Amino acid sequence: MNKNLSIFTNGLIKENPLLILNIGLCSSLAVTTSVFNGIGMGFGMMFVLVMSELIISIFRKLIPDAIRLPIFIIVIAAFTTIIQLLLEAYMPSLSKALGVFLPLIVVNCIIMGRVESFASKNSPLSSVIDAFGMGFGYTWVLVVISLIRELLGSGSFFGLKLIPEDYTIAFFSRAPGGFFVFGLLIAVTAAIKKSAQKKEGSVK
Amino acid sequence: MKQMIKLGLILALYAAASCFCLSLVNMVTSPVIAGHANEALKAGLKEVFSEAQKFSDPLDSTLYTAGANAKIDNVYQALDGSGNVIGVVIEFDGKTYDHARMIAGFRNDKDLTITGVKFLELSDSPGFGQRAQDPKEILKGCGKTFYGQFEGKKASEGFVLGNTYEAISGATITSTSVGKLLEQAAFTAGEVLGSSSIKAPAKVRSTPFTEAEALSEIFGENTVNTVAAPAGCEKAFTASDSSGVTGAAVIVSGKSFNDKATLLIAVNKDSIIAGVRVLYLNDTPGLGQKALEESFYSQFTGKKADTDFTKSGTYDAIASATITSNSLAQLIKTGAELALQTVSQAQ
Amino acid sequence: MKDLSLISIFLKAMLVDNVILTQYLALCPFIGMTKDTGKATGMGIATSFVIVLAVAVTWPLYNFVMVPLNLEYLQTLMFILVIATLVQLVEFYLKKCAPALYSSMGVYLALITTNCAVLGTALNSCSETLSYIQSIVYSCGCAGGFLLSMIIMSGVRKRTQYAPIPDFLKGTPILFIAAGLLSLSFLGFNGLIK
């Protein structure tokens, strides 16, 4: 049980895909203009990640090594398309807001990376827990970024207008704002990590 | 070799399994997705024709003639609860200052009363033509939005700027061209509903006029005679009918943005401008060259000939084409003065 | 976009809608491979080649095979498989004809498959319903924009190596801030093409 818990929290903080490993960045900046989109993208990606890790872990003994990459791609692409179709049918506003980044989940480095390094070598249960950990780790960072960008850029939170339009800073809703917020977030994380290490070092 | 074939087969197996699952999901979701698109369209149509209960599928385009000034994209019949055709909704697009796509509903009555007009797309200048689709822009004269003012108007009365409908101040070109597009849509509506109250609109041109074309368009049936040109213009004409001199026109040239500009300015004997036509202009396409369009030069018709057009506010300039607009305004002012001179000399 | 002239499409794809700085695609190689201008250029050229090739192959696949057979829902799957195959072929070719370049690129060559810009450009050119020639020009513009951004970023990175940067911003954060400033400057191209 402890092992599974550590696998889960690994994805949340210690090996957070966006802040620590710096992978899967593409979709994280483009869709984080509003919290609704951020959560939507996070859960969409998590669905593909969980299902892909599950299937590949189940079949891991039946995947020949030489063609494992194409097979991974097929499985990931299939689930990406499934979530695409489901969202287009049942949540069209989210599907439209995510735009081209929904099919781009298939080239999300996180999924490919985890499937290759974890799911192909571990049991289905561990893989699913790892997927949830990574997925939530990805999602919470997206939510933080989109919170900042939506609040400062459009003055709203989850659609509720909080700051009048005259005081919003459009910079944050456009491309440069995304880079800035993300860079600062990584800096903050690094600073926290460093001070945590220092504390550990001084306690020891 | 055998290994490669075995690998290839396994790969194909995985691919086939994935495609199979996908097609299952697709079968479930595609009707839902198609339903969404349909709903959005119906909602849009209902906005311009609220009385209709249902709308038909787009009509076959062979049932109406192609538009000269606007492209007719789709025609939908508006039906009531029992399936009777109570009107049509026309989806059309065409040139405004830049481009616009609109839908308009026409009731199936003698005058083809308009039930509603809506912009689907409008790419004109923000702050000028864009106000045509702004729900917050209320026109001073009628107290409605630009697109809202058409509701209840009779299409058979035509679309004459300043007369049957109100313009957006500072956006004459957009306002005039929208009228031309609606005119085309009304004609198609008349064709489809079998009404003959709308006549086919003439094609709007955006090329320079020849001297003869300009004179005949402005003076119509009147006899035109060339007279001695006063200093400052190249040619001068008078127009007369059985009662005497009705007006005069001069051709003036001057420097515009790139090259020279040649205009024909005509006034009538009441010192009102009868018309301005561009005979030669070679400025920037999309900017200064817009002066060739009827929506620009037609705004001078009816203005007082002694107006100082070099003062701002006397006419709507072309956005982002200040130099061309100023040069033409100067020419029109000079030309109007000379034309007035010619008229008074002839009488 | 399909009403624009070819040169406008090219410039729009390269500058106004820059793949990295405006559309946020291909950030992984942008951060990972711009340490060295030589490597950045090499990666940029290889990716550019794959982008154009990918669009050249996927456009006819989509428009002549998938749309008539109502198989649009297989678009993601088919496209990524085509791209993976193309990258394999490019790898093959490089191994044979330019082994030095092949060994210097190492694992990053295979990573072009997961490069968002390649799939993104292919998907965009289909969704914008461009003609074949327009798609090729569009993909050349995207490729050019990608290469441009990579080279600029590697130059910027070289400068930041010796610049006095506060401790907590060292490394990836300052890269993102720099990318943000670059992106801001590219916003200036916004009015270039409608």
Side-chain angles (χ1 to χ4, degrees):
Chain A
M1 191 56 212
N2 231 356
K3 175 165 163 264
N4 287 334
L5 194 62
S6 73
I7 297 178
F8 182 71
T9 55
N10 191 34
L12 277 185
I13 301 172
K14 219 172 24 170
E15 275 193 12
N16 187 296
L18 284 173
L19 295 178
I20 310 288
L21 301 178
N22 291 144
I23 54 176
L25 304 164
C26 314
S27 27
S28 62
L29 293 183
V31 302
T32 44
T33 45
S34 81
V35 179
F36 178 65
N37 293 349
I39 295 184
M41 181 54 147
F43 281 165
M45 181 271 191
M46 190 149 66
F47 170 80
V48 178
L49 183 60
V50 169
M51 298 305 293
S52 306
E53 281 212 54
L54 180 66
I55 296 292
I56 288 174
S57 176
I58 292 175
F59 286 97
R60 71 186 184 279
K61 305 249 171 61
L62 297 171
I63 300 179
D65 195 60
I67 50 165
R68 69 180 195 288
L69 282 179
I71 293 184
F72 292 165
I73 292 177
I74 291 177
V75 173
I76 299 175
F79 284 116
T80 308
T81 313
I82 290 178
I83 193 75
Q84 251 183 279
L85 291 174
L86 288 176
L87 281 185
E88 204 176 334
Y90 300 112
M91 295 190 75
S93 54
L94 182 61
S95 156
K96 223 181 246 162
L98 295 179
V100 74
F101 288 94
L102 203 43
L104 282 183
I105 292 180
V106 71
V107 287
N108 192 315
C109 314
I110 303 178
I111 305 182
M112 193 56 132
R114 292 324 283 175
V115 155
E116 160 90 6
S117 60
F118 201 90
S120 54
K121 302 181 183 116
N122 288 287
S123 73
L125 183 62
S126 314
S127 303
V128 169
I129 295 177
D130 174 73
F132 273 114
M134 286 285 161
F136 276 113
Y138 179 77
T139 307
W140 81 255
V141 176
L142 281 195
V143 170
V144 172
I145 299 177
S146 40
L147 220 153
I148 299 176
R149 286 183 76 188
E150 188 182 357
L151 198 62
L152 293 176
S154 348
S156 58
F157 172 69
F158 221 85
L160 297 162
K161 282 243 174 268
L162 290 177
I163 303 179
E165 218 166 307
D166 295 328
Y167 294 102
T168 59
I169 309 172
F171 170 78
F172 285 101
S173 294
R174 307 287 292 271
F179 281 117
F180 263 58
V181 173
F182 192 63
L184 288 174
L185 209 59
I186 299 182
V188 166
T189 316
I192 295 180
K193 201 172 166 196
K194 219 172 192 191
S195 72
Q197 277 177 340
K198 255 203 212 141
K199 258 204 216 134
E200 252 180 69
S202 63
V203 164
K204 281 201 182 106
Chain B
M1 192 61 212
K2 205 158 160 225
Q3 178 72 333
M4 280 242 289
I5 296 183
K6 183 166 160 241
L7 289 177
L9 281 176
I10 297 181
L11 194 59
L13 193 66
Y14 275 101
S18 308
C19 288
F20 179 68
C21 294
L22 280 183
S23 54
L24 281 179
V25 177
N26 188 49
M27 270 201 307
V28 173
T29 53
S30 57
V32 185
I33 297 175
H36 286 314
N38 224 4
E39 302 258 318
L41 177 64
K42 292 286 190 278
L45 294 178
K46 201 116 165 59
E47 254 189 82
V48 294
F49 209 125
S50 49
E51 302 143 17
Q53 299 295 324
K54 295 200 323 242
F55 294 95
S56 70
D57 287 334
L59 296 183
D60 189 357
S61 54
T62 57
L63 292 173
Y64 46 88
T65 49
N69 301 320
K71 181 163 157 295
I72 307 294
D73 298 315
N74 281 310
V75 175
Y76 305 90
Q77 285 171 325
L79 310 164
D80 66 6
S82 353
N84 301 318
V85 177
I86 53 174
V88 286
V89 176
I90 316 275
E91 187 187 330
F92 54 101
D93 70 276
K95 191 166 181 7
T96 53
Y97 188 83
D98 188 24
H99 193 90
R101 224 159 67 81
M102 308 168 63
I103 45 175
F106 299 89
R107 199 173 292 135
N108 188 6
D109 57 25
K110 173 168 63 72
D111 299 304
L112 282 179
T113 317
I114 301 173
T115 54
V117 170
K118 182 170 140 84
F119 281 95
L120 296 176
E121 284 163 24
L122 180 62
S123 52
D124 286 5
S125 323
F128 296 95
Q130 271 298 340
R131 287 153 49 206
Q133 66 170 343
D134 187 356
K136 295 194 278 242
E137 169 93 11
I138 307 290
L139 299 176
K140 288 201 183 59
C142 56
K144 300 187 190 158
T145 59
F146 178 75
Y147 57 88
Q149 67 174 313
F150 295 101
E151 197 177 320
K153 284 199 196 289
K154 301 192 170 80
S156 56
E157 286 178 356
F159 297 91
V160 182
L161 189 65
N163 198 340
T164 58
Y165 75 100
E166 202 177 318
I168 298 201
S169 63
T172 319
I173 297 185
T174 303
S175 310
T176 325
S177 19
V178 169
K180 285 271 174 294
L181 295 185
L182 283 171
E183 199 178 31
Q184 185 69 61
F187 173 65
T188 306
E191 266 195 307
V192 172
L193 290 172
S195 156
S196 50
S197 52
I198 317 278
K199 58 182 198 325
K203 175 141 176 51
V204 171
R205 64 186 284 169
S206 55
T207 48
F209 280 80
T210 62
E211 191 183 290
E213 284 174 336
L215 288 169
S216 90
E217 202 176 273
I218 297 177
F219 290 122
E221 301 286 310
N222 293 347
T223 327
V224 172
N225 297 309
T226 316
V227 297
C233 63
E234 296 166 8
K235 274 189 176 178
F237 311 87
T238 54
S240 44
D241 62 7
S242 50
S243 61
V245 171
T246 51
V250 296
I251 296 184
V252 282
S253 286
K255 181 149 180 31
S256 187
F257 182 68
N258 261 338
D259 196 351
K260 68 166 184 171
T262 308
L263 301 177
L264 183 138
I265 297 117
V267 300
N268 62 24
K269 62 181 183 343
D270 304 317
S271 305
I272 302 287
I273 294 187
V276 170
R277 297 291 185 274
V278 182
L279 303 183
Y280 179 82
L281 189 63
N282 191 18
D283 286 349
T284 320
L287 296 171
Q289 282 301 74
K290 275 194 185 307
L292 289 173
E293 291 167 21
E294 187 190 334
S295 39
F296 175 75
Y297 60 73
S298 59
Q299 67 175 307
F300 297 98
T301 310
K303 289 207 195 293
K304 292 180 69 166
D306 55 6
T307 316
D308 184 359
F309 291 105
T310 55
K311 284 212 171 66
S312 73
T314 49
Y315 75 103
D316 283 336
I318 301 170
S320 314
T322 324
I323 297 185
T324 304
S325 302
N326 287 342
S327 323
L328 294 181
Q330 177 66 58
L331 273 184
I332 295 173
K333 173 171 175 232
T334 316
E337 276 169 26
L338 291 170
L340 279 176
Q341 238 185 306
T342 314
V343 154
S344 54
Q345 271 183 349
Q347 284 180 324
Chain C
M1 201 191 292
K2 56 184 177 168
D3 298 321
L4 296 177
S5 68
L6 288 180
I7 190 82
S8 301
I9 295 181
F10 181 79
L11 286 177
K12 189 161 198 260
M14 181 158 161
L15 298 173
V16 180
D17 288 336
N18 187 287
V19 233
I20 301 184
L21 296 174
T22 313
Q23 288 188 63
Y24 289 117
L25 303 172
L27 287 177
C28 300
F30 188 61
I31 301 296
M33 280 224 83
T34 44
K35 262 216 169 81
D36 177 64
T37 312
K39 259 210 199 134
T41 319
M43 178 64 156
I45 295 180
T47 313
S48 305
F49 183 62
V50 176
I51 291 179
V52 181
L53 205 59
V55 172
V57 175
T58 54
W59 192 95
L61 175 69
Y62 184 73
N63 283 291
F64 296 139
V65 176
M66 296 177 69
V67 172
L69 294 176
N70 270 326
L71 291 175
E72 288 99 329
Y73 65 96
L74 288 181
Q75 186 182 25
T76 313
L77 190 63
M78 292 281 117
F79 275 31
I80 193 67
L81 282 180
V82 168
I83 293 173
T85 319
L86 282 176
V87 173
Q88 280 286 68
L89 290 174
V90 170
E91 234 180 300
F92 240 41
Y93 179 73
L94 272 188
K95 213 174 183 173
K96 266 212 183 129
C97 304
L101 182 61
Y102 176 76
S103 52
S104 76
M105 293 199 65
V107 70
Y108 290 107
L109 192 51
L111 280 185
I112 297 182
T113 314
T114 55
N115 188 320
C116 311
V118 183
L119 184 61
T121 309
L123 290 174
N124 273 337
S125 64
C126 286
S127 74
E128 299 251 2
T129 58
L130 302 172
S131 75
Y132 194 45
I133 306 283
Q134 285 176 323
S135 303
I136 302 290
V137 170
Y138 174 72
S139 62
C140 289
C142 287
F146 177 77
L147 188 59
L148 185 68
S149 312
M150 292 285 275
I151 295 178
I152 295 179
M153 194 49 166
S154 64
V156 168
R157 240 180 130 155
K158 237 188 187 155
R159 290 304 202 101
T160 61
Q161 265 188 319
Y162 304 108
I165 304 173
D167 245 355
F168 72 101
L169 281 180
K170 274 212 181 104
T172 322
I174 196 65
L175 276 189
F176 273 98
I177 309 269
L181 289 172
L182 270 181
S183 169
L184 196 58
S185 68
F186 267 72
L187 265 189
F189 287 118
N190 230 351
L192 188 65
I193 308 216
K194 262 195 291 195

